[in-house]
Amino acid sequence: MSPAFFVGEPIMFETEQQQVEQQILAFCKENGLPEPKLTWGWIPFNGHWGTSTSFFQLASQAAREAGQKVNVSEKANELAERIAAYLGTPAGFERVEAVKGYLNLYFSTAGYAQRVVDAVLEQGKDFGGGARRGERVMVEFSQPNTHKAFHVGHLRSAILGDALCNILEASGYDVVRANYPGDMGLHVIKWLWNYMKHHVGEKPENDITRWMGSLYAEANDRLAETPEFEAEVRALYGRWDQRDPEVVELWKETRQWSLDGFTQMYNELDIHFDRYYFNSEEEKPGKEIVNELIEKGIAQDERANDGPVIVKIDEQLGLTKDKYRVMVVLRSDSTALYATEDLALAKQKFIDYPDMVQSFYVVDVRQSLHFQQVFKTLELAGYEWAQRCQHVVYELVTLPGNVILASRDGNVVLLEDLIREATERALAVVEEKNPDLDSEQKQAVARAVGIGAIKYPMLARENAKMVTFDWKSALDFNGQAAPYIQYAHVRANSILRKAGGVVPASRAFDYEMATSEMQLVDLISRFPNEVQRAAAELKPLQIANIAYDIAQTFTSFYNECPVLQVEEPVRSSRLRLVAAAKQALANSLALLGITAPEAM
RNA sequence: GCCCUUGUAGCUCAAUUGGAUAGAGCGUUUGCUUGCGGAGCAAAAGGCUAGAGAUUCGAGUUCUCUCAGGGGCACCA
C-alpha cells in the first residue's frame, strides 16, 4: 500500500498553505533560484500555533547549481528572512518569522480555531475518518486454538488486529475482519484422547475456556508421565483421518464449546469478526493445491522415497544465498500440515473476496519465514493476488525474565483471570472515587477502565517490540495509560453536562487564547492525518500517541482555562472547544477499541 | 553459518519518517485541593541515543562493520 497522505501537513489549511507556496515559487523565479520542494511541518510548540518549512535544501541546491561553496545554514536563514520580508503577512496568518533557516507562519487563531472546532463538531464520530476508497481489505487476526486455554500471550493479535481494523475502516477501506481458529491438529487429538479416557460425559459450565485449557494441560501431563500412551493418541489420530463418526461427533461438540468460550471473551473485549475460516476446512483444498504445485513442477514429490512434498523456493528463484529456503507442503504420510492449509486459505480468501486490495495476516514474528514461503510459493504458482498478501508482524507477549507463555505448561496468565482482576480493581477505584453512581453504571465503568487498561499498553508501542506482562503494570491505572485518557474525556463531559448539555453555536476564537488552548486545537487538527498514517503504516501506536497527547493537553487546558466561570463570549468558544476535545478523545479511543465513559 | 528483529533517562516507552534545545510515564525529591472531578497539576533531578566509520548543509532516524539481546532456518503450529 502506498502511503498516499501528507505527513505533518495540517490538512485543514491547504488553501492558505498553497497560496504561500505559490508566492515562494514566485520569489524563487524572480531571484533566479531553483524551484524548491517545500515540505510543511508544524512548529515545535512554543506557545503559538502555525506551520513551518525550511530552506536548507534550496540553499544547498542553489549553491550546487552555481558551483559555489556556501555555509548552508547561513544561506538558508538568509533565504528565510528574505522570503519572510517578501511575503509580508499573507492572508490567514497573523505573523511570519524566519528562524535558523526555517520560515514559521503563525495562524490567525480566531478563524482557524473556529474552523477546526466546527469541523469536529459537524463530523462528530466521523471526525478523523477519511473518504471512502471503495477498496476492500481483509485482516485475519486472533487465530485461537480450540481445545486450549486463551492466555495473555494470545491477546496481542486480537487487540492489535481489532485496532487495525478500526483504523483501516476509518481511513476509508472496507474491512473484512477474519478469524482463523486452529480447530484440528495434534493438540485437539490429545485433548479428545484425554476426554474419552477420563472425562466422558462431562460438560463445561460457565468458565469454558479455562476448563478446556485445563483438560489440555492434563492430557500433556498424562502423556509426559506415561509416554506409552502416545500410541493411543496416534491411533485416535488415525480414526480422525478415517472420519470415524464417533470421533467426528465428539470433535464437533467439543470444538463448539471452545468457540462458545472464545465468543464470550471476544464479547468481553468488544472484539467482533465478520468471517470465520477454520483450519479443518482447508485440509482438502490444501492437498489439491499441493497436487497442482507438483503438476506445475514447482513442488517436488519425494514420497516415493519416504520423503515429504517440498518446494525449493530459493532454487526456483535462482537465489544463491538462503532466503526462502525449503518449505514442506505435505508430510511424507500425505497428511496436511499448517503450510498446506495456509496455501489453501490464502486462495480461499481471494475466491470469497476477489476485489481485495490487501490481505493482512496479524501473526507473531516467529512465523515470518513461514508466510514469506507461503506467499512466494503462491506467486511462483502464478497467483497474481499473492503479492497482495502481507504478514503484519508483531512481537510476543512474554512474562518477566523473557518467559514465553505456553498452554502446555501451567505458567500461563489466563485472559479470563486478567479481565476479572482488572475490572475488579477498576470497580474498587470507582467505588472510592464516585460512590454516587448506581451499581450498573459502576460495573460499566469498571469494564471500560479495566479493558482499556489491558488494551492500551499492547497498542502504545511499536508492533515489533516485545510486551512484557506483569500484574503490577497491567493493573496500574495511573500515568500514560487508557484511564488517563478516559479521565480527560470524563472531565470534558462533566463540564458540558454542567453547562446544560447544550453546545453554543459556532463562533470565532476572537480573544487572546491561552497556550494550552491553542495547543489543544493544534493537536485536534492533526488527528485526521494520524489516522491516515496509522492505516498506511499499520501502526495503532500513532493513534495511542495522539490520544494521549490530546488528553494531556486537554488536562493542561482544564487547569489553565476556566470554562463555566469565564465571561462571555470566551465561555461559548471554550465550551465548543471542550466538546471538540471530547469528541476527538472519544474517536481516538474508539479506534483503539477502548470505551470512553461519560463518568468514572 | 544464513536471514529477520531490537538496543534512546535507573525502569517502560515516544520522537512530526533526514530537521529547530531528543520528550512522556513509572520511580526519586519538592510544592499544589473552601476552584469545571486530585484516576489530577506544577517543578526538580536524570542522556556521548550500545560502539566505530560513511552519506548529508544537517543523522536517534539512511548505509557498512563491530558488540549485546530476541526470534527463525525440512515434514510443530
Side-chain angles (χ1 to χ4, degrees):
Chain A
M1 214 176 351
S2 63
F5 64 100
F6 309 97
V7 172
E9 197 170 335
I11 58 172
M12 289 185 171
F13 316 119
E14 277 167 342
T15 315
E16 288 81 355
Q17 196 171 277
Q18 277 168 12
Q19 280 167 359
V20 170
E21 226 167 274
Q22 289 307 317
Q23 285 183 268
I24 294 174
L25 292 178
F27 171 89
C28 292
K29 213 169 191 181
E30 285 171 27
N31 291 276
L33 291 162
E35 190 171 305
K37 284 180 292 179
L38 295 173
T39 55
W40 296 90
W42 54 81
I43 306 167
F45 196 80
N46 58 3
H48 301 282
W49 175 35
T51 185
S52 158
T53 191
S54 64
F55 298 104
F56 300 106
Q57 280 184 353
L58 178 60
S60 89
Q61 198 184 341
R64 211 175 304 133
E65 286 183 11
Q68 300 167 324
K69 272 188 103 175
V70 295
N71 180 324
V72 169
S73 54
E74 270 176 25
K75 183 70 183 171
N77 198 44
E78 183 197 317
L79 282 168
E81 278 172 1
R82 285 173 62 197
I83 289 168
Y86 180 85
L87 289 174
T89 307
F93 297 94
E94 61 185 23
R95 192 159 65 86
V96 174
E97 68 175 7
V99 186
K100 297 181 193 170
Y102 290 84
L103 179 72
N104 293 336
L105 297 151
Y106 292 101
F107 294 143
S108 311
T109 52
Y112 275 37
Q114 181 180 17
R115 209 189 299 177
V116 171
V117 168
D118 285 359
V120 178
L121 295 179
E122 274 162 29
Q123 294 169 36
K125 63 177 170 38
D126 294 328
F127 170 67
R132 305 316 304 167
R133 297 168 196 251
E135 291 178 331
R136 192 196 305 277
V137 298
M138 177 183 284
V139 181
E140 179 203 302
F141 62 104
S142 195
Q143 306 108 339
N145 281 326
T146 66
H147 302 80
K148 273 194 186 181
F150 198 111
H151 58 68
V152 296
H154 299 124
L155 206 49
R156 198 169 182 184
S157 175
I159 290 170
L160 182 60
D162 176 57
L164 281 175
C165 288
N166 297 338
I167 290 163
L168 288 165
E169 184 82 39
S171 84
Y173 290 100
D174 298 322
V175 179
V176 181
R177 296 158 182 264
N179 200 342
Y180 182 50
D183 62 342
M184 183 36 69
L186 189 57
H187 69 280
V188 177
I189 299 296
K190 283 183 190 172
W191 190 98
L192 292 172
W193 165 79
N194 183 41
Y195 182 87
M196 292 167 86
K197 213 167 168 182
H198 299 99
H199 298 274
V200 178
E202 291 178 28
K203 285 184 183 174
E205 307 207 337
N206 34 25
D207 220 345
I208 305 174
T209 308
R210 179 193 305 277
W211 185 77
M212 296 297 287
S214 68
L215 260 66
Y216 177 67
E218 189 182 284
N220 278 294
D221 288 346
R222 292 191 202 280
L223 286 165
E225 275 170 34
T226 319
E228 299 81 67
F229 287 153
E230 295 284 355
E232 295 180 23
V233 173
R234 275 200 303 277
L236 188 59
Y237 215 150
R239 288 177 67 191
W240 159 258
D241 274 337
Q242 301 303 312
R243 295 299 185 269
D244 179 323
E246 188 199 353
V247 178
V248 172
E249 276 313 302
L250 184 62
W251 168 73
K252 277 187 185 166
E253 188 185 8
T254 56
R255 179 185 97 134
Q256 193 56 46
W257 294 343
S258 265
L259 295 176
D260 290 345
F262 295 153
T263 302
Q264 275 177 18
M265 276 186 288
Y266 290 137
N267 286 339
E268 292 253 23
L269 291 169
D270 205 14
I271 292 175
H272 303 282
F273 296 91
D274 301 316
R275 182 76 163 85
Y276 270 79
Y277 291 97
F278 291 100
N279 201 253
S280 59
E281 289 171 356
E282 304 304 330
E283 215 172 284
K284 275 183 190 166
K287 289 179 182 177
E288 285 163 21
I289 291 193
V290 170
N291 286 333
E292 179 189 328
L293 292 175
I294 296 170
E295 281 166 24
K296 285 182 175 168
I298 293 164
Q300 292 171 21
D301 191 347
E302 298 181 344
R303 281 175 292 181
N305 304 316
D306 279 341
V309 181
I310 59 172
V311 181
K312 293 182 175 174
I313 304 175
D314 288 331
E315 200 176 290
Q316 294 276 331
L317 293 168
L319 299 178
T320 48
K321 272 191 175 178
D322 285 356
K323 183 167 184 191
Y324 297 100
R325 299 165 197 271
V326 172
M327 176 165 67
V328 175
V329 292
L330 198 66
R331 289 197 186 92
S332 49
D333 64 0
S334 297
T335 57
L337 60 155
Y338 198 58
T340 322
E341 289 146 2
D342 255 341
L343 290 167
L345 176 63
K347 185 178 177 181
Q348 188 60 46
K349 288 174 174 176
F350 281 93
I351 291 171
D352 295 341
Y353 305 97
D355 59 336
M356 275 199 292
V357 294
Q358 290 274 291
S359 178
F360 297 112
Y361 294 70
V362 182
V363 182
D364 78 62
V365 62
R366 291 174 299 183
Q367 295 188 33
S368 294
L369 177 60
H370 165 76
F371 281 114
Q372 283 185 38
Q373 290 177 326
V374 170
F375 301 153
K376 189 55 79 177
T377 297
L378 289 165
E379 202 180 308
L380 285 169
Y383 294 110
E384 66 79 24
W385 45 256
Q387 292 176 28
R388 287 182 260 157
C389 296
Q390 185 180 339
H391 176 204
V392 181
V393 176
Y394 68 88
E395 258 294 355
L396 298 178
V397 177
T398 59
L399 296 174
N402 218 354
V403 177
I404 293 175
L405 293 106
S407 323
R408 196 171 320 187
D409 319 325
N411 73 346
V412 296
V413 176
L414 294 181
L415 179 56
E416 46 264 59
D417 290 335
L418 177 58
I419 291 175
R420 185 170 35 75
E421 284 291 331
T423 50
E424 274 178 15
R425 176 77 173 267
L427 186 61
V429 181
V430 186
E431 297 276 9
E432 180 198 331
K433 304 280 181 188
N434 210 342
D436 294 338
L437 291 177
D438 67 42
S439 126
E440 197 174 318
Q441 285 172 314
K442 282 179 191 161
Q443 289 291 344
V445 170
R447 190 169 164 273
V449 171
I451 301 292
I454 292 170
K455 286 184 176 182
Y456 189 83
M458 300 255 178
L459 299 169
R461 74 218 308 103
E462 288 282 351
N463 299 347
K465 286 191 178 172
M466 268 182 348
V467 174
T468 305
F469 177 87
D470 71 276
W471 282 102
K472 190 172 171 291
S473 54
L475 298 179
D476 190 356
F477 298 160
N478 298 316
Q480 186 167 3
Y484 179 89
I485 304 167
Q486 291 168 319
Y487 188 55
H489 180 264
V490 163
R491 283 172 144 185
N493 182 59
S494 184
I495 292 175
L496 295 171
R497 192 180 58 238
K498 289 193 169 146
V502 181
V503 179
S506 173
R507 65 175 314 285
F509 286 70
D510 48 0
Y511 57 92
E512 182 137 355
M513 293 176 77
T515 299
S516 59
E517 205 169 4
M518 279 187 288
Q519 193 171 8
L520 183 56
V521 179
D522 179 19
L523 282 168
I524 292 171
S525 75
R526 289 185 209 165
F527 181 58
N529 268 339
E530 294 301 316
V531 174
Q532 293 305 321
R533 182 174 158 189
E537 298 177 1
L538 306 169
K539 285 181 183 175
L541 167 65
Q542 301 304 334
I543 304 300
N545 282 346
I546 189 84
Y548 180 72
D549 289 343
I550 293 173
Q552 200 176 37
T553 304
F554 175 80
T555 304
S556 295
F557 161 79
Y558 181 91
N559 286 299
E560 189 182 359
C561 303
V563 178
L564 296 175
Q565 292 95 330
V566 83
E567 75 284 356
E568 288 290 1
V570 178
R571 185 176 189 270
S572 289
S573 294
R574 284 190 175 158
L575 269 175
R576 285 182 67 78
L577 177 55
V578 170
K582 181 191 166 188
Q583 189 72 61
L585 288 167
N587 292 6
S588 56
L589 285 172
L591 292 183
L592 300 175
I594 297 173
T595 305
E598 300 288 300
M600 64 190 270

